[in-house]
Amino acid sequence: MKGVVQRIEPGKDGYTASLRDQQGVEFDALISRVRMQQAYRVLRVGDQVKLTGDTIHLDQRVRVLVKQIQ
């Protein structure tokens, strides 16, 4: 999924980034040091990224369990 980072919320072993895609749809990305290991990196508000990983639906929002950031 592709999107632009809107906000960052720190978490236990990483953070959750809220993003908006080109159609204006918002989704969340769970970025975990444990899951990503050496591929882990910190995003900033305004970054445009492509994320790969598993997706789940939580509270009527899509959440990506990120494995890779491009």
Side-chain angles (χ1 to χ4, degrees), residues 2-25:
K2 292 182 182 179
V4 177
V5 178
Q6 303 298 306
R7 68 181 176 277
I8 302 289
E9 296 176 28
K12 186 175 177 180
D13 71 340
Y15 59 96
T16 301
S18 296
L19 295 95
R20 183 175 294 137
D21 68 13
Q22 291 180 337
Q23 289 76 34
V25 177

Side-chain angles (χ1 to χ4, degrees), residues 11-70:
K12 186 175 177 180
D13 71 340
Y15 59 96
T16 301
S18 296
L19 295 95
R20 183 175 294 137
D21 68 13
Q22 291 180 337
Q23 289 76 34
V25 177
E26 292 195 5
F27 63 96
D28 296 326
L30 182 62
I31 301 170
S32 163
R33 286 183 174 94
V34 173
R35 184 175 294 107
M36 295 186 69
Q37 298 186 15
Q38 294 181 357
Y40 179 85
R41 79 180 224 222
V42 177
L43 298 177
R44 290 177 170 50
V45 172
D47 286 351
Q48 186 170 342
V49 294
K50 179 179 178 184
L51 307 171
T52 57
D54 299 322
T55 57
I56 60 173
H57 296 272
L58 186 64
D59 297 329
Q60 299 182 351
R61 277 179 75 106
V62 173
R63 181 170 280 199
V64 181
L65 306 176
V66 179
K67 292 182 181 175
Q68 187 176 16
I69 300 172
Q70 298 176 351

